Amino acid sequence: MNGLRLGYGTNGLTDLRLEDALALLADLGYDGVGLTLDHMHLDPLARDLPARTTRLAQRLGELGLGVTVETGGRYVLDPRRKHGPSLLDDDEDARWTRIRLLVRAVRIAAELGAHAVHCFSGVGPPGVDADTAWQRLAGALDPVLDAADEAGIPLAVEPEPGHLLATLADFHRLRSDLGDPAPLGLTLDIGHCQCLESAPVQDCVRQAAPWLRHVQIEDMRRGVHEHLPFGEGEIDFPPVLAALADSGYRGLTVVELPRHSHAGPELAARSLDFLRNGGTR
């Protein structure tokens, strides 16, 4: 609809094998997939990662699916700490564990022909002042941006509720701190705009348009960070989808329902119908 290229996130299909998830999305008529690197699907720490990535690139081509590489796997690095370690950890070695994952994600993305790599800042550790946290974030992203520049793959940072970088204004602070590097872009999560931003969601899309490199979409309520199927939240989608179509963004707009894998196939079908119908309830 309106030229948008629609995808669905594998973090909402974790009860399916990756091969089955990709076949499902292609059969439904999706344009692509948001691929979360994790042990369920494409494990970025697997010994046979190069061979698996090569096979996946071939399969995506056979199915005609575009791809964005997402790095929000909850326990991909630490089985006891959600999203740990982060780019903000007190321990430098721990920060480098996350940095190396993101650099690897960039290389995977290049092999898959992805249009962007998604990441987020993480939560600031207790007792760390904001200026120190922002300095750590900028320093940690420098080598990732170098890798992204070399690979020609944008790094799309997502404002995430509860994280250091939580809003569009925070993204622009990071952009300024880093000197506005060319590989740095934005992941705009439509639900997060409803949750946190003061402007209407469609205005957030317009304001973010020059930096959009990846879009995630779902329904949400004001002040509640809970990803909801379309029609269960408060977002008025027709003007939001129109703003996206007018923004010039031509990457994937990926449905993000990471807590609904139990109903993934059904929700993938319903979500596509909703978006193709212009977001009317």
Side-chain angles (χ1 to χ4, degrees), residues 236-270:
D236 181 18
F237 279 98
V240 174
L241 296 177
L244 275 173
D246 292 341
S247 69
Y249 172 70
R250 293 298 176 261
L252 291 173
T253 296
V254 172
V255 179
E256 187 82 359
L257 293 173
R259 297 185 180 180
H260 291 77
S261 283
H262 62 283
E266 175 191 353
L267 282 172
R270 282 170 42 194

PDB file of all heavy atoms in Angstrom, residues 236-270:
ATOM      1  N   ASP A 236      -3.778   6.052  15.644  1.00  0.00           N
ATOM      2  CA  ASP A 236      -4.588   6.306  14.453  1.00  0.00           C
ATOM      3  C   ASP A 236      -3.676   6.082  13.247  1.00  0.00           C
ATOM      4  O   ASP A 236      -2.871   6.942  12.895  1.00  0.00           O
ATOM      5  CB  ASP A 236      -5.124   7.734  14.492  1.00  0.00           C
ATOM      6  CG  ASP A 236      -6.002   8.071  13.296  1.00  0.00           C
ATOM      7  OD1 ASP A 236      -6.470   7.130  12.616  1.00  0.00           O
ATOM      8  OD2 ASP A 236      -6.203   9.262  13.019  1.00  0.00           O
ATOM      9  N   PHE A 237      -3.790   4.923  12.608  1.00  0.00           N
ATOM     10  CA  PHE A 237      -2.782   4.518  11.628  1.00  0.00           C
ATOM     11  C   PHE A 237      -2.877   5.169  10.253  1.00  0.00           C
ATOM     12  O   PHE A 237      -1.833   5.368   9.615  1.00  0.00           O
ATOM     13  CB  PHE A 237      -2.760   2.995  11.488  1.00  0.00           C
ATOM     14  CG  PHE A 237      -1.977   2.331  12.574  1.00  0.00           C
ATOM     15  CD1 PHE A 237      -2.614   1.783  13.679  1.00  0.00           C
ATOM     16  CD2 PHE A 237      -0.594   2.268  12.510  1.00  0.00           C
ATOM     17  CE1 PHE A 237      -1.891   1.184  14.689  1.00  0.00           C
ATOM     18  CE2 PHE A 237       0.150   1.664  13.509  1.00  0.00           C
ATOM     19  CZ  PHE A 237      -0.508   1.120  14.600  1.00  0.00           C
ATOM     20  N   PRO A 238      -4.057   5.495   9.709  1.00  0.00           N
ATOM     21  CA  PRO A 238      -4.070   6.054   8.354  1.00  0.00           C
ATOM     22  C   PRO A 238      -3.154   7.265   8.156  1.00  0.00           C
ATOM     23  O   PRO A 238      -2.361   7.280   7.199  1.00  0.00           O
ATOM     24  CB  PRO A 238      -5.545   6.371   8.106  1.00  0.00           C
ATOM     25  CG  PRO A 238      -6.256   5.313   8.898  1.00  0.00           C
ATOM     26  CD  PRO A 238      -5.438   5.167  10.162  1.00  0.00           C
ATOM     27  N   PRO A 239      -3.162   8.276   9.042  1.00  0.00           N
ATOM     28  CA  PRO A 239      -2.225   9.385   8.823  1.00  0.00           C
ATOM     29  C   PRO A 239      -0.762   9.002   9.033  1.00  0.00           C
ATOM     30  O   PRO A 239       0.134   9.586   8.412  1.00  0.00           O
ATOM     31  CB  PRO A 239      -2.670  10.443   9.837  1.00  0.00           C
ATOM     32  CG  PRO A 239      -3.462   9.721  10.860  1.00  0.00           C
ATOM     33  CD  PRO A 239      -4.107   8.579  10.143  1.00  0.00           C
ATOM     34  N   VAL A 240      -0.515   8.022   9.876  1.00  0.00           N
ATOM     35  CA  VAL A 240       0.865   7.564  10.102  1.00  0.00           C
ATOM     36  C   VAL A 240       1.399   6.874   8.855  1.00  0.00           C
ATOM     37  O   VAL A 240       2.516   7.150   8.393  1.00  0.00           O
ATOM     38  CB  VAL A 240       0.924   6.615  11.313  1.00  0.00           C
ATOM     39  CG1 VAL A 240       2.323   6.020  11.464  1.00  0.00           C
ATOM     40  CG2 VAL A 240       0.516   7.351  12.586  1.00  0.00           C
ATOM     41  N   LEU A 241       0.603   5.988   8.277  1.00  0.00           N
ATOM     42  CA  LEU A 241       1.033   5.284   7.073  1.00  0.00           C
ATOM     43  C   LEU A 241       1.177   6.241   5.896  1.00  0.00           C
ATOM     44  O   LEU A 241       2.093   6.091   5.069  1.00  0.00           O
ATOM     45  CB  LEU A 241       0.047   4.166   6.744  1.00  0.00           C
ATOM     46  CG  LEU A 241      -0.037   3.044   7.785  1.00  0.00           C
ATOM     47  CD1 LEU A 241      -1.105   2.034   7.394  1.00  0.00           C
ATOM     48  CD2 LEU A 241       1.303   2.354   7.970  1.00  0.00           C
ATOM     49  N   ALA A 242       0.305   7.232   5.833  1.00  0.00           N
ATOM     50  CA  ALA A 242       0.434   8.237   4.773  1.00  0.00           C
ATOM     51  C   ALA A 242       1.724   9.029   4.928  1.00  0.00           C
ATOM     52  O   ALA A 242       2.421   9.319   3.950  1.00  0.00           O
ATOM     53  CB  ALA A 242      -0.775   9.162   4.783  1.00  0.00           C
ATOM     54  N   ALA A 243       2.070   9.379   6.174  1.00  0.00           N
ATOM     55  CA  ALA A 243       3.318  10.116   6.419  1.00  0.00           C
ATOM     56  C   ALA A 243       4.525   9.263   6.044  1.00  0.00           C
ATOM     57  O   ALA A 243       5.501   9.770   5.476  1.00  0.00           O
ATOM     58  CB  ALA A 243       3.397  10.546   7.881  1.00  0.00           C
ATOM     59  N   LEU A 244       4.479   7.972   6.361  1.00  0.00           N
ATOM     60  CA  LEU A 244       5.583   7.085   5.972  1.00  0.00           C
ATOM     61  C   LEU A 244       5.711   7.006   4.452  1.00  0.00           C
ATOM     62  O   LEU A 244       6.821   7.064   3.907  1.00  0.00           O
ATOM     63  CB  LEU A 244       5.352   5.684   6.535  1.00  0.00           C
ATOM     64  CG  LEU A 244       5.818   5.408   7.958  1.00  0.00           C
ATOM     65  CD1 LEU A 244       5.353   4.022   8.402  1.00  0.00           C
ATOM     66  CD2 LEU A 244       7.334   5.514   8.067  1.00  0.00           C
ATOM     67  N   ALA A 245       4.579   6.875   3.774  1.00  0.00           N
ATOM     68  CA  ALA A 245       4.609   6.782   2.314  1.00  0.00           C
ATOM     69  C   ALA A 245       5.166   8.051   1.687  1.00  0.00           C
ATOM     70  O   ALA A 245       5.826   8.004   0.643  1.00  0.00           O
ATOM     71  CB  ALA A 245       3.206   6.493   1.786  1.00  0.00           C
ATOM     72  N   ASP A 246       4.902   9.184   2.323  1.00  0.00           N
ATOM     73  CA  ASP A 246       5.361  10.476   1.789  1.00  0.00           C
ATOM     74  C   ASP A 246       6.782  10.825   2.216  1.00  0.00           C
ATOM     75  O   ASP A 246       7.337  11.827   1.758  1.00  0.00           O
ATOM     76  CB  ASP A 246       4.422  11.591   2.247  1.00  0.00           C
ATOM     77  CG  ASP A 246       3.038  11.480   1.616  1.00  0.00           C
ATOM     78  OD1 ASP A 246       2.905  10.789   0.585  1.00  0.00           O
ATOM     79  OD2 ASP A 246       2.081  12.061   2.174  1.00  0.00           O
ATOM     80  N   SER A 247       7.376  10.029   3.100  1.00  0.00           N
ATOM     81  CA  SER A 247       8.653  10.405   3.717  1.00  0.00           C
ATOM     82  C   SER A 247       9.854  10.202   2.797  1.00  0.00           C
ATOM     83  O   SER A 247      10.936  10.729   3.067  1.00  0.00           O
ATOM     84  CB  SER A 247       8.869   9.580   4.984  1.00  0.00           C
ATOM     85  OG  SER A 247       9.106   8.209   4.657  1.00  0.00           O
ATOM     86  N   GLY A 248       9.688   9.406   1.766  1.00  0.00           N
ATOM     87  CA  GLY A 248      10.815   9.039   0.924  1.00  0.00           C
ATOM     88  C   GLY A 248      11.539   7.792   1.401  1.00  0.00           C
ATOM     89  O   GLY A 248      12.455   7.312   0.724  1.00  0.00           O
ATOM     90  N   TYR A 249      11.155   7.252   2.550  1.00  0.00           N
ATOM     91  CA  TYR A 249      11.771   6.030   3.067  1.00  0.00           C
ATOM     92  C   TYR A 249      11.349   4.838   2.218  1.00  0.00           C
ATOM     93  O   TYR A 249      10.155   4.638   1.962  1.00  0.00           O
ATOM     94  CB  TYR A 249      11.338   5.823   4.520  1.00  0.00           C
ATOM     95  CG  TYR A 249      11.746   4.491   5.102  1.00  0.00           C
ATOM     96  CD1 TYR A 249      13.073   4.201   5.369  1.00  0.00           C
ATOM     97  CD2 TYR A 249      10.788   3.513   5.386  1.00  0.00           C
ATOM     98  CE1 TYR A 249      13.450   2.977   5.904  1.00  0.00           C
ATOM     99  CE2 TYR A 249      11.154   2.289   5.926  1.00  0.00           C
ATOM    100  CZ  TYR A 249      12.484   2.030   6.177  1.00  0.00           C
ATOM    101  OH  TYR A 249      12.854   0.817   6.701  1.00  0.00           O
ATOM    102  N   ARG A 250      12.311   4.045   1.791  1.00  0.00           N
ATOM    103  CA  ARG A 250      12.013   2.896   0.934  1.00  0.00           C
ATOM    104  C   ARG A 250      12.573   1.588   1.496  1.00  0.00           C
ATOM    105  O   ARG A 250      12.643   0.587   0.792  1.00  0.00           O
ATOM    106  CB  ARG A 250      12.569   3.141  -0.472  1.00  0.00           C
ATOM    107  CG  ARG A 250      11.862   4.273  -1.213  1.00  0.00           C
ATOM    108  CD  ARG A 250      10.396   3.963  -1.432  1.00  0.00           C
ATOM    109  NE  ARG A 250       9.671   5.061  -2.051  1.00  0.00           N
ATOM    110  CZ  ARG A 250       8.921   5.947  -1.384  1.00  0.00           C
ATOM    111  NH1 ARG A 250       8.796   5.845  -0.052  1.00  0.00           N
ATOM    112  NH2 ARG A 250       8.291   6.905  -2.029  1.00  0.00           N
ATOM    113  N   GLY A 251      12.977   1.597   2.752  1.00  0.00           N
ATOM    114  CA  GLY A 251      13.369   0.353   3.393  1.00  0.00           C
ATOM    115  C   GLY A 251      12.151  -0.413   3.859  1.00  0.00           C
ATOM    116  O   GLY A 251      11.005  -0.090   3.520  1.00  0.00           O
ATOM    117  N   LEU A 252      12.385  -1.437   4.671  1.00  0.00           N
ATOM    118  CA  LEU A 252      11.281  -2.247   5.176  1.00  0.00           C
ATOM    119  C   LEU A 252      10.593  -1.569   6.355  1.00  0.00           C
ATOM    120  O   LEU A 252      11.247  -0.943   7.196  1.00  0.00           O
ATOM    121  CB  LEU A 252      11.792  -3.615   5.617  1.00  0.00           C
ATOM    122  CG  LEU A 252      12.265  -4.560   4.517  1.00  0.00           C
ATOM    123  CD1 LEU A 252      12.894  -5.802   5.134  1.00  0.00           C
ATOM    124  CD2 LEU A 252      11.118  -4.947   3.596  1.00  0.00           C
ATOM    125  N   THR A 253       9.284  -1.716   6.422  1.00  0.00           N
ATOM    126  CA  THR A 253       8.490  -1.355   7.587  1.00  0.00           C
ATOM    127  C   THR A 253       8.045  -2.669   8.220  1.00  0.00           C
ATOM    128  O   THR A 253       7.217  -3.395   7.668  1.00  0.00           O
ATOM    129  CB  THR A 253       7.275  -0.500   7.185  1.00  0.00           C
ATOM    130  OG1 THR A 253       7.731   0.746   6.634  1.00  0.00           O
ATOM    131  CG2 THR A 253       6.375  -0.215   8.388  1.00  0.00           C
ATOM    132  N   VAL A 254       8.648  -2.993   9.374  1.00  0.00           N
ATOM    133  CA  VAL A 254       8.587  -4.349   9.927  1.00  0.00           C
ATOM    134  C   VAL A 254       7.653  -4.399  11.131  1.00  0.00           C
ATOM    135  O   VAL A 254       7.824  -3.640  12.103  1.00  0.00           O
ATOM    136  CB  VAL A 254      10.000  -4.819  10.335  1.00  0.00           C
ATOM    137  CG1 VAL A 254       9.948  -6.139  11.091  1.00  0.00           C
ATOM    138  CG2 VAL A 254      10.876  -4.955   9.091  1.00  0.00           C
ATOM    139  N   VAL A 255       6.674  -5.289  11.079  1.00  0.00           N
ATOM    140  CA  VAL A 255       5.774  -5.511  12.214  1.00  0.00           C
ATOM    141  C   VAL A 255       6.581  -6.121  13.356  1.00  0.00           C
ATOM    142  O   VAL A 255       7.303  -7.114  13.181  1.00  0.00           O
ATOM    143  CB  VAL A 255       4.619  -6.440  11.813  1.00  0.00           C
ATOM    144  CG1 VAL A 255       3.705  -6.694  13.018  1.00  0.00           C
ATOM    145  CG2 VAL A 255       3.826  -5.844  10.645  1.00  0.00           C
ATOM    146  N   GLU A 256       6.436  -5.519  14.551  1.00  0.00           N
ATOM    147  CA  GLU A 256       7.277  -5.877  15.698  1.00  0.00           C
ATOM    148  C   GLU A 256       6.389  -6.337  16.854  1.00  0.00           C
ATOM    149  O   GLU A 256       5.880  -5.533  17.642  1.00  0.00           O
ATOM    150  CB  GLU A 256       8.102  -4.648  16.111  1.00  0.00           C
ATOM    151  CG  GLU A 256       9.143  -4.912  17.173  1.00  0.00           C
ATOM    152  CD  GLU A 256      10.429  -5.500  16.620  1.00  0.00           C
ATOM    153  OE1 GLU A 256      10.518  -5.729  15.411  1.00  0.00           O
ATOM    154  OE2 GLU A 256      11.350  -5.723  17.425  1.00  0.00           O
ATOM    155  N   LEU A 257       6.200  -7.661  16.952  1.00  0.00           N
ATOM    156  CA  LEU A 257       5.360  -8.237  18.010  1.00  0.00           C
ATOM    157  C   LEU A 257       6.133  -9.354  18.715  1.00  0.00           C
ATOM    158  O   LEU A 257       5.797 -10.537  18.620  1.00  0.00           O
ATOM    159  CB  LEU A 257       4.049  -8.771  17.420  1.00  0.00           C
ATOM    160  CG  LEU A 257       3.099  -7.707  16.861  1.00  0.00           C
ATOM    161  CD1 LEU A 257       1.918  -8.359  16.144  1.00  0.00           C
ATOM    162  CD2 LEU A 257       2.596  -6.783  17.977  1.00  0.00           C
ATOM    163  N   PRO A 258       7.163  -8.993  19.482  1.00  0.00           N
ATOM    164  CA  PRO A 258       8.072 -10.005  20.035  1.00  0.00           C
ATOM    165  C   PRO A 258       7.486 -10.865  21.140  1.00  0.00           C
ATOM    166  O   PRO A 258       8.096 -11.869  21.509  1.00  0.00           O
ATOM    167  CB  PRO A 258       9.241  -9.166  20.560  1.00  0.00           C
ATOM    168  CG  PRO A 258       8.649  -7.824  20.850  1.00  0.00           C
ATOM    169  CD  PRO A 258       7.598  -7.622  19.805  1.00  0.00           C
ATOM    170  N   ARG A 259       6.331 -10.499  21.671  1.00  0.00           N
ATOM    171  CA  ARG A 259       5.735 -11.304  22.741  1.00  0.00           C
ATOM    172  C   ARG A 259       4.500 -12.065  22.272  1.00  0.00           C
ATOM    173  O   ARG A 259       3.694 -12.513  23.091  1.00  0.00           O
ATOM    174  CB  ARG A 259       5.395 -10.411  23.940  1.00  0.00           C
ATOM    175  CG  ARG A 259       6.629  -9.773  24.557  1.00  0.00           C
ATOM    176  CD  ARG A 259       6.321  -8.986  25.792  1.00  0.00           C
ATOM    177  NE  ARG A 259       7.532  -8.396  26.358  1.00  0.00           N
ATOM    178  CZ  ARG A 259       7.567  -7.638  27.455  1.00  0.00           C
ATOM    179  NH1 ARG A 259       6.442  -7.380  28.101  1.00  0.00           N
ATOM    180  NH2 ARG A 259       8.707  -7.143  27.896  1.00  0.00           N
ATOM    181  N   HIS A 260       4.366 -12.200  20.961  1.00  0.00           N
ATOM    182  CA  HIS A 260       3.176 -12.845  20.417  1.00  0.00           C
ATOM    183  C   HIS A 260       3.519 -14.015  19.501  1.00  0.00           C
ATOM    184  O   HIS A 260       2.747 -14.347  18.598  1.00  0.00           O
ATOM    185  CB  HIS A 260       2.329 -11.820  19.663  1.00  0.00           C
ATOM    186  CG  HIS A 260       1.677 -10.805  20.543  1.00  0.00           C
ATOM    187  ND1 HIS A 260       2.365  -9.736  21.078  1.00  0.00           N
ATOM    188  CD2 HIS A 260       0.405 -10.700  21.006  1.00  0.00           C
ATOM    189  CE1 HIS A 260       1.542  -9.018  21.819  1.00  0.00           C
ATOM    190  NE2 HIS A 260       0.366  -9.571  21.792  1.00  0.00           N
ATOM    191  N   SER A 261       4.663 -14.657  19.747  1.00  0.00           N
ATOM    192  CA  SER A 261       5.059 -15.765  18.881  1.00  0.00           C
ATOM    193  C   SER A 261       4.061 -16.923  18.926  1.00  0.00           C
ATOM    194  O   SER A 261       3.929 -17.675  17.951  1.00  0.00           O
ATOM    195  CB  SER A 261       6.440 -16.271  19.266  1.00  0.00           C
ATOM    196  OG  SER A 261       7.445 -15.405  18.800  1.00  0.00           O
ATOM    197  N   HIS A 262       3.361 -17.071  20.039  1.00  0.00           N
ATOM    198  CA  HIS A 262       2.391 -18.161  20.150  1.00  0.00           C
ATOM    199  C   HIS A 262       1.301 -18.058  19.088  1.00  0.00           C
ATOM    200  O   HIS A 262       0.676 -19.054  18.732  1.00  0.00           O
ATOM    201  CB  HIS A 262       1.751 -18.157  21.543  1.00  0.00           C
ATOM    202  CG  HIS A 262       0.984 -16.907  21.846  1.00  0.00           C
ATOM    203  ND1 HIS A 262       1.605 -15.724  22.192  1.00  0.00           N
ATOM    204  CD2 HIS A 262      -0.339 -16.640  21.823  1.00  0.00           C
ATOM    205  CE1 HIS A 262       0.693 -14.791  22.390  1.00  0.00           C
ATOM    206  NE2 HIS A 262      -0.488 -15.317  22.170  1.00  0.00           N
ATOM    207  N   ALA A 263       1.067 -16.844  18.578  1.00  0.00           N
ATOM    208  CA  ALA A 263       0.054 -16.619  17.540  1.00  0.00           C
ATOM    209  C   ALA A 263       0.688 -16.016  16.293  1.00  0.00           C
ATOM    210  O   ALA A 263       0.013 -15.348  15.513  1.00  0.00           O
ATOM    211  CB  ALA A 263      -1.050 -15.717  18.071  1.00  0.00           C
ATOM    212  N   GLY A 264       1.991 -16.268  16.096  1.00  0.00           N
ATOM    213  CA  GLY A 264       2.728 -15.596  15.033  1.00  0.00           C
ATOM    214  C   GLY A 264       2.143 -15.742  13.640  1.00  0.00           C
ATOM    215  O   GLY A 264       1.935 -14.740  12.949  1.00  0.00           O
ATOM    216  N   PRO A 265       1.868 -16.954  13.155  1.00  0.00           N
ATOM    217  CA  PRO A 265       1.334 -17.079  11.796  1.00  0.00           C
ATOM    218  C   PRO A 265       0.027 -16.328  11.593  1.00  0.00           C
ATOM    219  O   PRO A 265      -0.165 -15.661  10.574  1.00  0.00           O
ATOM    220  CB  PRO A 265       1.156 -18.592  11.634  1.00  0.00           C
ATOM    221  CG  PRO A 265       2.195 -19.183  12.544  1.00  0.00           C
ATOM    222  CD  PRO A 265       2.212 -18.264  13.738  1.00  0.00           C
ATOM    223  N   GLU A 266      -0.888 -16.426  12.567  1.00  0.00           N
ATOM    224  CA  GLU A 266      -2.169 -15.726  12.446  1.00  0.00           C
ATOM    225  C   GLU A 266      -1.966 -14.218  12.452  1.00  0.00           C
ATOM    226  O   GLU A 266      -2.549 -13.486  11.644  1.00  0.00           O
ATOM    227  CB  GLU A 266      -3.087 -16.135  13.600  1.00  0.00           C
ATOM    228  CG  GLU A 266      -4.410 -15.375  13.625  1.00  0.00           C
ATOM    229  CD  GLU A 266      -5.187 -15.600  14.902  1.00  0.00           C
ATOM    230  OE1 GLU A 266      -4.781 -16.446  15.714  1.00  0.00           O
ATOM    231  OE2 GLU A 266      -6.203 -14.900  15.090  1.00  0.00           O
ATOM    232  N   LEU A 267      -1.109 -13.732  13.361  1.00  0.00           N
ATOM    233  CA  LEU A 267      -0.897 -12.281  13.448  1.00  0.00           C
ATOM    234  C   LEU A 267      -0.146 -11.751  12.238  1.00  0.00           C
ATOM    235  O   LEU A 267      -0.369 -10.612  11.816  1.00  0.00           O
ATOM    236  CB  LEU A 267      -0.151 -11.945  14.734  1.00  0.00           C
ATOM    237  CG  LEU A 267      -1.005 -11.956  15.994  1.00  0.00           C
ATOM    238  CD1 LEU A 267      -0.143 -11.799  17.236  1.00  0.00           C
ATOM    239  CD2 LEU A 267      -2.056 -10.844  15.943  1.00  0.00           C
ATOM    240  N   ALA A 268       0.741 -12.550  11.673  1.00  0.00           N
ATOM    241  CA  ALA A 268       1.425 -12.117  10.456  1.00  0.00           C
ATOM    242  C   ALA A 268       0.411 -11.888   9.339  1.00  0.00           C
ATOM    243  O   ALA A 268       0.497 -10.884   8.601  1.00  0.00           O
ATOM    244  CB  ALA A 268       2.459 -13.145  10.047  1.00  0.00           C
ATOM    245  N   ALA A 269      -0.551 -12.785   9.190  1.00  0.00           N
ATOM    246  CA  ALA A 269      -1.575 -12.626   8.156  1.00  0.00           C
ATOM    247  C   ALA A 269      -2.468 -11.423   8.452  1.00  0.00           C
ATOM    248  O   ALA A 269      -2.744 -10.596   7.565  1.00  0.00           O
ATOM    249  CB  ALA A 269      -2.406 -13.905   8.057  1.00  0.00           C
ATOM    250  N   ARG A 270      -2.939 -11.311   9.692  1.00  0.00           N
ATOM    251  CA  ARG A 270      -3.824 -10.201  10.052  1.00  0.00           C
ATOM    252  C   ARG A 270      -3.119  -8.853   9.913  1.00  0.00           C
ATOM    253  O   ARG A 270      -3.719  -7.871   9.455  1.00  0.00           O
ATOM    254  CB  ARG A 270      -4.320 -10.375  11.495  1.00  0.00           C
ATOM    255  CG  ARG A 270      -5.438 -11.394  11.643  1.00  0.00           C
ATOM    256  CD  ARG A 270      -5.727 -11.700  13.096  1.00  0.00           C
ATOM    257  NE  ARG A 270      -5.733 -10.510  13.949  1.00  0.00           N
ATOM    258  CZ  ARG A 270      -5.701 -10.557  15.279  1.00  0.00           C
ATOM    259  NH1 ARG A 270      -5.631 -11.735  15.896  1.00  0.00           N
ATOM    260  NH2 ARG A 270      -5.724  -9.454  15.979  1.00  0.00           N
TER     261      ARG A 270
END
